[in-house]
Amino acid sequence: MTADKPDELTGTEEILAALRKVGHWRVVIRPTTFERKRISKINGCYELIQGASVSHRGWPYPACIDRGKEAGPEFSGFALAGLEWGILEAWRYFQSGQFVHKFALREDVRTSRQDDEEPGPVLDWIRACHSVAEIFEFAARLSLQGVLPSARIQIQIRGTKGRRLSCSDPRRLFFPPSPCRVPIVEHVVEVTGGDLVSREEELVISAAKEMFAQFLWDPAEAVLRDERQRLMAMRG
Amino acid sequence: MTDLDRTLLQLVRMPGEERNHEAKRSFPWRVDGSHVDADLFADLRGKVTRTIMALANLPGGGRVVVGVGQEASGRLSADGMPEEHLVGWSTDEVLEHVNKYASPEVRLRVDQVTDETGLRFIIVSVQEFEEVPVVCSNDQSNRKGQSLLRRGATYVRGRKKIESIEISSQTEMRELVGLATQKQLRSMLPYVTQLLQHVKPGPSDAQLFEEQLGESWA
Protein backbone atom coordinates (compact mmCIF):
# COMPACT_ATOMS: atom_id res chain seq x y z
CA MET A 1 0.00 0.00 0.00
CA THR A 2 1.46 3.33 -1.04
CA ALA A 3 -0.09 6.72 -1.67
CA ASP A 4 -0.08 8.13 -5.19
CA LYS A 5 2.54 10.88 -5.11
CA PRO A 6 1.22 12.37 -1.87
CA ASP A 7 3.77 15.23 -2.00
CA GLU A 8 1.74 16.75 -4.80
CA LEU A 9 -1.50 16.69 -2.84
CA THR A 10 -2.71 20.04 -1.62
CA GLY A 11 -6.42 20.18 -0.76
CA THR A 12 -8.07 18.45 2.16
CA GLU A 13 -10.33 16.35 -0.08
CA GLU A 14 -7.32 15.10 -2.07
CA ILE A 15 -5.47 14.19 1.08
CA LEU A 16 -8.50 12.42 2.53
CA ALA A 17 -8.86 10.49 -0.73
CA ALA A 18 -5.17 9.49 -0.57
CA LEU A 19 -5.58 8.43 3.05
CA ARG A 20 -8.37 6.06 2.08
CA LYS A 21 -5.85 4.16 -0.07
CA VAL A 22 -3.39 3.49 2.76
CA GLY A 23 -3.48 2.21 6.30
CA HIS A 24 -4.36 5.14 8.53
CA TRP A 25 -5.53 6.27 11.92
CA ARG A 26 -8.87 7.93 12.45
CA VAL A 27 -9.35 9.69 15.76
CA VAL A 28 -12.52 11.44 16.92
CA ILE A 29 -12.49 13.28 20.23
CA ARG A 30 -15.69 15.08 21.15
CA PRO A 31 -17.81 16.16 24.09
CA THR A 32 -20.63 13.78 24.94
CA THR A 33 -23.27 16.49 24.41
CA PHE A 34 -23.71 18.51 21.24
CA GLU A 35 -23.52 22.28 21.52
CA ARG A 36 -22.95 23.87 18.12
CA LYS A 37 -21.15 26.99 19.40
CA ARG A 38 -19.38 25.53 22.41
CA ILE A 39 -16.37 27.52 21.21
CA SER A 40 -17.82 30.94 20.51
CA LYS A 41 -15.23 32.23 18.00
CA ILE A 42 -13.92 30.25 15.09
CA ASN A 43 -10.40 31.66 15.56
CA GLY A 44 -10.44 30.11 18.98
CA CYS A 45 -10.53 26.61 17.46
CA TYR A 46 -7.05 26.73 15.97
CA GLU A 47 -5.61 28.38 19.06
CA LEU A 48 -7.06 25.65 21.26
CA ILE A 49 -5.48 22.92 19.14
CA GLN A 50 -2.14 24.73 19.16
CA GLY A 51 -2.35 25.00 22.92
CA ALA A 52 -3.15 21.32 23.39
CA SER A 53 -0.86 19.91 20.71
CA VAL A 54 1.69 17.36 21.96
CA SER A 55 5.26 17.29 20.70
CA HIS A 56 7.55 14.53 21.94
CA ARG A 57 8.83 12.94 18.75
CA GLY A 58 9.67 16.01 16.70
CA TRP A 59 6.42 16.05 14.75
CA PRO A 60 3.53 17.40 16.84
CA TYR A 61 0.27 15.62 17.52
CA PRO A 62 -1.79 16.97 15.88
CA ALA A 63 0.31 18.93 13.40
CA CYS A 64 -0.14 22.70 13.60
CA ILE A 65 1.99 24.56 11.11
CA ASP A 66 0.91 27.45 8.94
CA ARG A 67 1.56 25.61 5.68
CA GLY A 68 -1.39 23.25 6.00
CA LYS A 69 -3.78 25.49 7.87
CA GLU A 70 -7.37 25.79 6.63
CA ALA A 71 -10.66 27.20 7.88
CA GLY A 72 -14.32 26.82 7.03
CA PRO A 73 -17.78 27.41 8.48
CA GLU A 74 -17.70 26.33 12.09
CA PHE A 75 -14.24 24.76 11.97
CA SER A 76 -10.52 25.26 11.79
CA GLY A 77 -8.42 22.61 10.16
CA PHE A 78 -5.16 21.37 8.83
CA ALA A 79 -4.17 19.17 5.90
CA LEU A 80 -0.68 18.32 4.76
CA ALA A 81 1.15 15.74 2.68
CA GLY A 82 4.90 15.29 3.08
CA LEU A 83 6.08 12.06 1.58
CA GLU A 84 9.70 12.69 2.46
CA TRP A 85 8.74 12.51 6.17
CA GLY A 86 6.10 9.81 5.79
CA ILE A 87 3.39 12.37 6.57
CA LEU A 88 -0.11 12.38 5.21
CA GLU A 89 -2.64 13.85 7.59
CA ALA A 90 -5.61 16.13 8.00
CA TRP A 91 -7.72 17.27 10.93
CA ARG A 92 -10.64 19.50 11.71
CA TYR A 93 -11.74 21.05 14.93
CA PHE A 94 -15.31 22.26 15.05
CA GLN A 95 -16.80 24.96 17.25
CA SER A 96 -18.88 22.17 18.80
CA GLY A 97 -15.65 20.86 20.32
CA GLN A 98 -15.49 17.88 17.97
CA PHE A 99 -12.00 17.01 16.78
CA VAL A 100 -11.47 14.59 13.90
CA HIS A 101 -8.05 13.54 12.73
CA LYS A 102 -6.84 11.18 10.04
CA PHE A 103 -3.20 10.37 9.54
CA ALA A 104 -1.44 7.72 7.55
CA LEU A 105 0.57 4.87 8.98
CA ARG A 106 4.11 5.98 8.24
CA GLU A 107 4.86 2.34 7.44
CA ASP A 108 2.60 2.74 4.39
CA VAL A 109 3.68 6.09 2.95
CA ARG A 110 7.44 6.03 3.28
CA THR A 111 9.27 5.85 -0.05
CA SER A 112 12.24 3.85 1.18
CA ARG A 113 12.24 0.62 3.13
CA GLN A 114 15.04 -0.51 5.36
CA ASP A 115 16.70 -3.83 4.56
CA ASP A 116 15.84 -5.49 7.87
CA GLU A 117 12.15 -4.54 7.83
CA GLU A 118 9.39 -7.13 7.91
CA PRO A 119 7.97 -7.88 4.46
CA GLY A 120 4.31 -7.04 3.77
CA PRO A 121 2.00 -4.58 5.55
CA VAL A 122 3.08 -3.98 9.11
CA LEU A 123 2.26 -1.84 12.13
CA ASP A 124 5.15 -0.78 14.29
CA TRP A 125 3.83 -1.47 17.78
CA ILE A 126 6.13 1.06 19.47
CA ARG A 127 5.05 3.83 17.14
CA ALA A 128 1.41 2.77 17.60
CA CYS A 129 1.80 2.82 21.37
CA HIS A 130 3.27 6.31 21.17
CA SER A 131 0.41 7.50 18.97
CA VAL A 132 -2.16 6.23 21.48
CA ALA A 133 -0.29 7.98 24.31
CA GLU A 134 -0.17 11.22 22.31
CA ILE A 135 -3.89 11.04 21.56
CA PHE A 136 -4.80 10.75 25.25
CA GLU A 137 -2.34 13.42 26.29
CA PHE A 138 -3.77 15.77 23.68
CA ALA A 139 -7.32 15.01 24.90
CA ALA A 140 -6.27 15.66 28.51
CA ARG A 141 -4.80 19.02 27.48
CA LEU A 142 -8.00 19.95 25.65
CA SER A 143 -9.93 19.09 28.78
CA LEU A 144 -7.68 21.34 30.84
CA GLN A 145 -8.63 24.19 28.51
CA GLY A 146 -12.26 23.72 29.56
CA VAL A 147 -13.73 22.56 26.23
CA LEU A 148 -14.11 18.89 27.08
CA PRO A 149 -16.13 18.49 30.29
CA SER A 150 -16.83 14.87 29.34
CA ALA A 151 -15.43 13.13 26.31
CA ARG A 152 -16.01 10.33 23.87
CA ILE A 153 -12.78 9.19 22.32
CA GLN A 154 -12.80 6.89 19.31
CA ILE A 155 -9.49 5.60 17.98
CA GLN A 156 -9.37 3.50 14.84
CA ILE A 157 -6.57 2.02 12.78
CA ARG A 158 -7.91 1.29 9.33
CA GLY A 159 -6.48 -1.14 6.80
CA THR A 160 -5.38 -3.69 9.37
CA LYS A 161 -6.60 -6.93 7.82
CA GLY A 162 -3.56 -9.08 7.05
CA ARG A 163 -1.23 -6.58 8.75
CA ARG A 164 1.43 -7.84 11.18
CA LEU A 165 2.88 -6.10 14.18
CA SER A 166 6.53 -5.19 13.84
CA CYS A 167 9.14 -3.46 15.95
CA SER A 168 11.30 -0.65 14.61
CA ASP A 169 13.82 -0.90 17.46
CA PRO A 170 16.33 -3.64 16.60
CA ARG A 171 17.41 -3.83 20.25
CA ARG A 172 13.93 -5.05 21.29
CA LEU A 173 13.26 -8.76 21.08
CA PHE A 174 9.91 -9.14 19.35
CA PHE A 175 8.23 -12.16 17.82
CA PRO A 176 5.51 -10.94 15.48
CA PRO A 177 2.23 -12.70 16.22
CA SER A 178 -0.31 -13.73 13.59
CA PRO A 179 -1.63 -11.09 11.16
CA CYS A 180 -4.70 -9.10 12.13
CA ARG A 181 -7.98 -10.57 10.92
CA VAL A 182 -10.18 -7.48 10.96
CA PRO A 183 -10.05 -4.45 8.60
CA ILE A 184 -10.45 -1.88 11.38
CA VAL A 185 -9.03 -2.00 14.86
CA GLU A 186 -10.96 0.21 17.23
CA HIS A 187 -11.08 1.49 20.78
CA VAL A 188 -13.88 3.69 22.10
CA VAL A 189 -14.12 5.17 25.57
CA GLU A 190 -16.31 7.75 27.31
CA VAL A 191 -14.75 9.54 30.25
CA THR A 192 -15.08 12.71 32.26
CA GLY A 193 -12.64 15.53 31.70
CA GLY A 194 -11.27 14.93 35.18
CA ASP A 195 -10.54 11.27 34.44
CA LEU A 196 -8.77 12.22 31.21
CA VAL A 197 -6.28 14.13 33.29
CA SER A 198 -6.00 11.94 36.39
CA ARG A 199 -6.25 8.50 34.73
CA GLU A 200 -4.35 9.23 31.53
CA GLU A 201 -1.82 6.41 31.86
CA GLU A 202 -4.48 3.85 32.71
CA LEU A 203 -6.54 4.93 29.69
CA VAL A 204 -3.54 4.64 27.36
CA ILE A 205 -2.69 1.13 28.57
CA SER A 206 -6.30 -0.01 28.31
CA ALA A 207 -6.62 1.34 24.75
CA ALA A 208 -3.29 -0.13 23.59
CA LYS A 209 -4.07 -3.55 25.07
CA GLU A 210 -7.47 -3.68 23.38
CA MET A 211 -6.05 -2.66 20.02
CA PHE A 212 -3.08 -5.03 20.14
CA ALA A 213 -5.44 -7.84 21.11
CA GLN A 214 -6.85 -7.57 17.58
CA PHE A 215 -3.35 -8.52 16.39
CA LEU A 216 -3.50 -11.49 18.78
CA TRP A 217 -0.84 -9.91 21.01
CA ASP A 218 -1.33 -9.49 24.73
CA PRO A 219 1.58 -7.42 26.05
CA ALA A 220 2.24 -7.01 29.78
CA GLU A 221 0.94 -3.73 31.15
CA ALA A 222 4.43 -2.89 32.36
CA VAL A 223 5.72 -3.00 28.78
CA LEU A 224 3.12 -0.48 27.65
CA ARG A 225 3.61 1.71 30.72
CA ASP A 226 7.39 1.82 30.11
CA GLU A 227 6.85 2.71 26.47
CA ARG A 228 4.52 5.57 27.37
CA GLN A 229 6.95 6.88 29.95
CA ARG A 230 9.78 6.65 27.41
CA LEU A 231 7.70 8.83 25.07
CA MET A 232 6.99 11.36 27.83
CA ALA A 233 10.69 11.63 28.50
CA MET A 234 11.44 12.51 24.87
CA ARG A 235 11.76 16.12 23.90
CA GLY A 236 10.40 17.22 20.56
CA MET B 1 -88.52 -14.48 31.59
CA THR B 2 -85.51 -13.01 29.86
CA ASP B 3 -82.04 -12.52 31.36
CA LEU B 4 -82.72 -8.78 31.39
CA ASP B 5 -85.89 -9.35 33.40
CA ARG B 6 -84.03 -11.49 35.92
CA THR B 7 -81.38 -8.81 36.28
CA LEU B 8 -83.98 -6.11 36.74
CA LEU B 9 -85.82 -8.17 39.32
CA GLN B 10 -82.60 -8.56 41.28
CA LEU B 11 -82.53 -4.77 41.44
CA VAL B 12 -86.10 -4.67 42.66
CA ARG B 13 -85.24 -7.05 45.48
CA MET B 14 -82.19 -5.21 46.73
CA PRO B 15 -82.57 -4.96 50.50
CA GLY B 16 -81.62 -1.31 50.80
CA GLU B 17 -80.67 1.86 48.99
CA GLU B 18 -77.15 2.51 47.79
CA ARG B 19 -75.40 5.53 46.36
CA ASN B 20 -76.23 4.22 42.89
CA HIS B 21 -79.60 2.70 43.78
CA GLU B 22 -82.76 4.57 44.80
CA ALA B 23 -86.14 3.02 45.63
CA LYS B 24 -89.39 4.97 45.23
CA ARG B 25 -92.96 4.18 46.05
CA SER B 26 -95.38 3.78 43.20
CA PHE B 27 -96.76 6.85 41.42
CA PRO B 28 -97.74 7.74 37.84
CA TRP B 29 -95.18 9.73 35.86
CA ARG B 30 -97.83 11.52 33.85
CA VAL B 31 -99.78 13.53 36.41
CA ASP B 32 -103.47 14.14 35.82
CA GLY B 33 -104.20 17.54 37.40
CA SER B 34 -107.72 16.49 38.41
CA HIS B 35 -106.44 13.51 40.39
CA VAL B 36 -106.87 13.83 44.13
CA ASP B 37 -103.15 13.09 44.69
CA ALA B 38 -101.91 15.22 41.75
CA ASP B 39 -99.76 17.46 44.00
CA LEU B 40 -98.25 14.48 45.79
CA PHE B 41 -97.44 12.80 42.48
CA ALA B 42 -95.92 16.03 41.15
CA ASP B 43 -93.70 16.20 44.23
CA LEU B 44 -92.63 12.58 43.75
CA ARG B 45 -91.84 13.28 40.10
CA GLY B 46 -89.74 16.27 41.15
CA LYS B 47 -87.84 14.10 43.64
CA VAL B 48 -87.18 11.42 41.02
CA THR B 49 -86.04 14.14 38.61
CA ARG B 50 -83.56 15.35 41.23
CA THR B 51 -82.38 11.77 41.86
CA ILE B 52 -81.88 11.19 38.14
CA MET B 53 -79.68 14.30 37.91
CA ALA B 54 -77.74 13.21 41.01
CA LEU B 55 -77.20 9.72 39.58
CA ALA B 56 -76.00 11.22 36.28
CA ASN B 57 -73.29 12.99 38.30
CA LEU B 58 -72.18 9.74 39.97
CA PRO B 59 -69.33 7.63 38.52
CA GLY B 60 -71.02 4.78 36.66
CA GLY B 61 -74.50 6.32 36.95
CA GLY B 62 -77.28 4.36 38.76
CA ARG B 63 -80.96 3.49 38.71
CA VAL B 64 -84.28 4.32 40.32
CA VAL B 65 -86.67 1.45 41.08
CA VAL B 66 -90.30 2.56 41.28
CA GLY B 67 -92.84 0.39 43.07
CA VAL B 68 -90.70 -0.24 46.15
CA GLY B 69 -91.96 1.36 49.34
CA GLN B 70 -90.07 1.87 52.54
CA GLU B 71 -91.38 0.49 55.83
CA ALA B 72 -91.15 2.44 59.09
CA SER B 73 -88.13 0.29 59.99
CA GLY B 74 -86.38 1.51 56.84
CA ARG B 75 -86.64 -1.89 55.19
CA LEU B 76 -87.63 -1.83 51.53
CA SER B 77 -90.84 -3.47 50.48
CA ALA B 78 -91.35 -4.52 46.84
CA ASP B 79 -95.06 -3.72 46.58
CA GLY B 80 -95.27 -3.25 42.81
CA MET B 81 -97.30 -0.69 40.88
CA PRO B 82 -101.01 -0.66 40.10
CA GLU B 83 -102.09 -0.43 36.48
CA GLU B 84 -103.10 3.25 36.74
CA HIS B 85 -99.61 4.22 37.97
CA LEU B 86 -97.87 2.89 34.87
CA VAL B 87 -99.04 5.94 32.89
CA GLY B 88 -96.24 7.96 31.36
CA TRP B 89 -93.37 5.62 32.33
CA SER B 90 -91.68 5.48 28.96
CA THR B 91 -88.12 6.47 28.10
CA ASP B 92 -89.31 9.33 25.85
CA GLU B 93 -91.76 10.80 28.32
CA VAL B 94 -89.38 10.62 31.29
CA LEU B 95 -86.54 12.07 29.21
CA GLU B 96 -88.74 14.90 27.95
CA HIS B 97 -89.68 15.95 31.46
CA VAL B 98 -86.26 15.47 33.11
CA ASN B 99 -84.42 17.35 30.39
CA LYS B 100 -86.58 20.42 31.03
CA TYR B 101 -84.59 20.63 34.27
CA ALA B 102 -81.23 19.10 33.32
CA SER B 103 -78.38 20.76 31.49
CA PRO B 104 -76.75 19.16 29.62
CA GLU B 105 -79.38 16.54 28.88
CA VAL B 106 -79.21 13.29 30.80
CA ARG B 107 -79.21 9.88 29.16
CA LEU B 108 -81.49 7.22 30.60
CA ARG B 109 -83.62 4.22 29.81
CA VAL B 110 -86.96 3.13 31.30
CA ASP B 111 -87.82 -0.55 31.65
CA GLN B 112 -90.90 -2.26 33.03
CA VAL B 113 -90.54 -5.62 34.71
CA THR B 114 -93.08 -8.08 36.15
CA ASP B 115 -92.14 -10.64 38.79
CA GLU B 116 -93.38 -14.23 39.18
CA THR B 117 -96.37 -13.08 41.26
CA GLY B 118 -97.46 -10.49 38.70
CA LEU B 119 -96.13 -7.42 40.55
CA ARG B 120 -94.95 -4.71 38.18
CA PHE B 121 -92.09 -2.29 38.63
CA ILE B 122 -90.41 0.51 36.71
CA ILE B 123 -86.66 0.75 36.55
CA VAL B 124 -84.99 3.95 35.33
CA SER B 125 -81.34 3.33 34.43
CA VAL B 126 -79.32 6.57 34.37
CA GLN B 127 -75.98 6.92 32.61
CA GLU B 128 -73.05 8.87 33.96
CA PHE B 129 -72.74 12.31 32.32
CA GLU B 130 -70.86 12.41 29.03
CA GLU B 131 -68.58 15.47 29.17
CA VAL B 132 -69.57 17.96 31.88
CA PRO B 133 -71.62 17.47 35.08
CA VAL B 134 -75.38 17.91 34.95
CA VAL B 135 -76.69 21.13 36.46
CA CYS B 136 -80.31 21.93 37.27
CA SER B 137 -81.68 24.56 34.87
CA ASN B 138 -85.19 25.21 36.27
CA ASP B 139 -86.95 25.70 39.58
CA GLN B 140 -89.72 23.54 41.06
CA SER B 141 -91.34 23.83 44.47
CA ASN B 142 -93.38 21.23 46.34
CA ARG B 143 -96.97 21.64 47.42
CA LYS B 144 -95.81 23.31 50.63
CA GLY B 145 -93.84 25.91 48.67
CA GLN B 146 -90.47 24.41 49.52
CA SER B 147 -87.82 24.15 46.85
CA LEU B 148 -87.59 20.73 45.21
CA LEU B 149 -85.40 21.68 42.28
CA ARG B 150 -83.29 24.81 42.24
CA ARG B 151 -81.96 26.45 39.12
CA GLY B 152 -78.13 26.45 39.15
CA ALA B 153 -77.89 23.63 41.69
CA THR B 154 -75.69 20.60 41.10
CA TYR B 155 -77.16 17.46 42.64
CA VAL B 156 -75.09 14.54 43.82
CA ARG B 157 -75.61 11.38 45.83
CA GLY B 158 -74.62 12.01 49.42
CA ARG B 159 -71.76 10.10 51.00
CA LYS B 160 -72.86 10.14 54.65
CA LYS B 161 -76.54 9.55 54.00
CA ILE B 162 -78.02 7.92 50.90
CA GLU B 163 -79.97 10.79 49.37
CA SER B 164 -79.89 13.19 46.43
CA ILE B 165 -78.65 16.56 47.61
CA GLU B 166 -77.03 19.75 46.39
CA ILE B 167 -73.24 19.69 46.59
CA SER B 168 -72.41 20.77 50.10
CA SER B 169 -68.90 19.53 50.85
CA GLN B 170 -65.45 19.77 49.28
CA THR B 171 -65.29 15.95 49.10
CA GLU B 172 -68.36 15.79 46.90
CA MET B 173 -67.06 18.65 44.77
CA ARG B 174 -63.66 16.98 44.36
CA GLU B 175 -65.30 13.72 43.31
CA LEU B 176 -67.35 15.46 40.65
CA VAL B 177 -64.50 17.63 39.36
CA GLY B 178 -62.21 14.57 39.32
CA LEU B 179 -64.73 12.63 37.24
CA ALA B 180 -65.17 15.53 34.80
CA THR B 181 -61.39 15.97 34.46
CA GLN B 182 -60.89 12.26 33.76
CA LYS B 183 -63.52 12.46 31.05
CA GLN B 184 -61.94 15.52 29.48
CA LEU B 185 -58.53 13.84 29.44
CA ARG B 186 -60.01 10.65 28.02
CA SER B 187 -61.75 12.56 25.25
CA MET B 188 -58.49 14.34 24.39
CA LEU B 189 -56.44 11.15 24.36
CA PRO B 190 -57.12 10.15 20.73
CA TYR B 191 -56.09 13.63 19.56
CA VAL B 192 -52.98 13.65 21.71
CA THR B 193 -52.07 10.16 20.51
CA GLN B 194 -52.58 11.26 16.92
CA LEU B 195 -50.39 14.33 17.49
CA LEU B 196 -47.64 12.29 19.10
CA GLN B 197 -47.53 9.99 16.09
CA HIS B 198 -46.46 12.97 14.00
CA VAL B 199 -43.88 14.22 16.48
CA LYS B 200 -40.51 12.73 15.72
CA PRO B 201 -37.80 12.88 18.35
CA GLY B 202 -34.97 15.25 17.50
CA PRO B 203 -31.59 13.89 16.45
CA SER B 204 -29.38 12.58 19.23
CA ASP B 205 -26.09 14.22 20.23
CA ALA B 206 -24.24 11.42 18.46
CA GLN B 207 -26.22 12.00 15.25
CA LEU B 208 -25.54 15.74 15.32
CA PHE B 209 -21.81 15.10 15.70
CA GLU B 210 -21.90 12.55 12.86
CA GLU B 211 -23.76 14.98 10.57
CA GLN B 212 -21.11 17.60 11.27
CA LEU B 213 -18.36 15.31 10.03
CA GLY B 214 -20.02 14.44 6.73
CA GLU B 215 -18.99 11.63 4.42
CA SER B 216 -15.42 12.75 3.78
CA TRP B 217 -14.42 12.26 7.39
CA ALA B 218 -16.44 9.11 8.01
Side-chain angles (χ1 to χ4, degrees), chain A residues 78-120:
Chain A
F78 175 89
L80 187 68
L83 185 60
E84 66 272 33
W85 310 298
I87 289 166
L88 185 62
E89 73 170 283
W91 59 257
R92 270 185 189 172
Y93 188 47
F94 294 85
Q95 284 180 272
S96 65
Q98 174 162 232
F99 172 78
V100 57
H101 188 196
K102 286 187 176 187
F103 57 103
L105 295 178
R106 293 184 74 178
E107 297 88 328
D108 284 16
V109 295
R110 279 179 307 174
T111 48
S112 63
R113 180 177 285 275
Q114 292 174 8
D115 294 340
D116 56 349
E117 276 189 66
E118 298 281 342

Side-chain angles (χ1 to χ4, degrees), chain A residues 13 26 34 96 98 102 158, chain B residues 205 209 212-213 216-218:
Chain A
E13 291 301 324
R26 178 180 181 269
F34 187 84
S96 65
Q98 174 162 232
K102 286 187 176 187
R158 294 178 168 186
Chain B
D205 290 310
F209 279 120
Q212 197 166 50
L213 291 181
S216 301
W217 291 89

